[in-house]
Amino acid sequence: MPNERPLRADAARNRAKILEAANRQIIAFGPEVPMESIAEDAGVAVGTLYRHFPTKADLVRAIVDSHLEEMAAEAEAAADRIGGGTSAVAEFITFWHMIMESAASNKAVKAAARELGASVDETEHLRRGQVAMERLIEAGKAEGGLRPDLAVEDCFIFFATVPLDEPVAVRERWFTLVIDGFRSGALREA
Amino acid sequence: MPNERPLRADAARNRAKILEAANRQIIAFGPEVPMESIAEDAGVAVGTLYRHFPTKADLVRAIVDSHLEEMAAEAEAAADRIGGGTSAVAEFITFWHMIMESAASNKAVKAAARELGASVDETEHLRRGQVAMERLIEAGKAEGGLRPDLAVEDCFIFFATVPLDEPVAVRERWFTLVIDGFRSGALREA
DNA sequence: CCAGAACATGAACTAAGATTCATAATTAAG
DNA sequence: CTTAATTATGAATCTTAGTTCATGTTCTGG
């Protein structure tokens, strides 16, 4: 029963401004950014933030969730590409590499990545991404490029802990080792 | 020029109490524990903490460093065991597994582990541990059980990001994958 | 045993940041 | 155009935690 009476014009306008500002601020400074900063960026008073979002956590969740959704969409896109020119393993690797780099330059994605590990509230987005990732992984195993026991959770756990504050070179090295771990055994057992 | 005049008896006593309390509190609650809590645990007033440690960071560093030192000592012990009954690779694995579990149950070690990643202040302890780890790794490569390009930094990076807040089962799985990554290629290239 | 140096105490100060709420401004329906 | 309902404002409140310092104690050398 979505009996939400429509927002007043100015309220709708402000809500949009708030979401945009929060997105900008959280991307740049992470969830720890003060509410005052978001309010200022949005050109609105703090009180207004609280009218639209009862608590800071709610606002942050809205933003982080939107990034989670984007990630899920990208995962689905990658899965849909299976059977095209590139191998599933290649798609898998490209996808996760992209997520890693996003998280490194976008504090909102970074926060979203953490949620992967602690899948607190089983968001719809998480589930969507999970399904897509399963498709990718199964295809990768079929190709013989991923270890037979690799699970979606493995990927989530790993990407919740990417060394984001280290220089690129370190991240790349980390990525190589992790991917090798995801592959290893693909040959032995199979 | 260590011209430190000896501490007065009561001061020395308090310093010890403070270090013990800080250790307890940081092990249990991590570096974020309030100075007040440490003071209370030590049976001393906050002002006294500040007489002995100019800033909270100094106190925390002292504690974390002591755990870093223990870790280095354990690494050396493991390296010294090379040539004994077990293989170097086994020692390597046992050592890191132990570090992981320590970090999971001891917030001070957890903090110390983070320092491994961001080797900010090149502590003497870090260097000692690094040397020992190099011995272990080289021996492991010689045995053919570790990938030829494995470096100490790899281990540091990884263990700075162990998924400590996840259940044991998850940590174990993570450990398996990482170790497999550390091995993989040992066969291919060699 | 005493003086003066060292040390300890803990209330007060400071800084941040989340959240509230009385007051003022806007909007939309009639 | 009015008015009641909805929103917005932002100064004030509350917490939390680090740090300081005037005042009171405790040591230690002589």
Side-chain angles (χ1 to χ4, degrees), chain B residues 9-106:
Chain B
D10 56 344
R13 209 177 315 129
N14 279 338
R15 182 170 237 277
K17 287 198 292 180
I18 289 170
L19 283 170
E20 284 164 28
N23 196 43
R24 263 192 303 277
Q25 293 290 318
I26 294 177
I27 282 177
F29 305 107
E32 321 74 25
V33 71
M35 289 294 260
E36 297 277 9
S37 302
I38 297 176
E40 186 180 19
D41 183 324
V44 137
V46 261
T48 306
L49 299 199
Y50 285 92
R51 164 166 285 275
H52 291 276
F53 301 89
T55 151
K56 180 182 181 180
D58 291 315
L59 176 52
V60 170
R61 189 171 320 121
I63 299 302
V64 171
D65 260 35
S66 77
H67 287 271
L68 221 38
E69 177 167 29
E70 274 180 34
M71 286 163 65
E74 305 252 30
E76 287 179 335
D80 288 343
R81 252 177 257 123
I82 293 178
T86 54
S87 70
V89 176
E91 289 293 352
F92 176 88
I93 293 179
T94 303
F95 171 77
W96 282 115
H97 192 275
M98 191 214 74
I99 295 291
M100 176 173 83
E101 286 313 299
S102 299
S105 63
N106 177 326

Side-chain angles (χ1 to χ4, degrees), chain B residues 99-122:
Chain B
I99 295 291
M100 176 173 83
E101 286 313 299
S102 299
S105 63
N106 177 326
K107 300 264 179 76
V109 172
K110 178 176 177 172
R114 291 210 196 304
E115 300 231 328
L116 290 185
S119 27
V120 198
D121 46 6
E122 293 281 332

Side-chain angles (χ1 to χ4, degrees), chain B residues 121-142:
Chain B
D121 46 6
E122 293 281 332
T123 324
E124 201 49 45
H125 308 141
L126 267 186
R127 205 175 305 284
R128 279 209 304 142
Q130 182 164 338
V131 171
M133 196 43 53
E134 251 148 22
R135 282 205 282 152
L136 224 34
I137 290 176
E138 287 316 311
K141 287 182 193 173

Side-chain angles (χ1 to χ4, degrees), chain A residues 29-49:
Chain A
F29 304 108
E32 320 75 25
V33 70
M35 289 295 259
E36 297 277 8
S37 302
I38 297 176
E40 186 180 21
D41 184 324
V44 136
V46 260
T48 305
L49 299 199

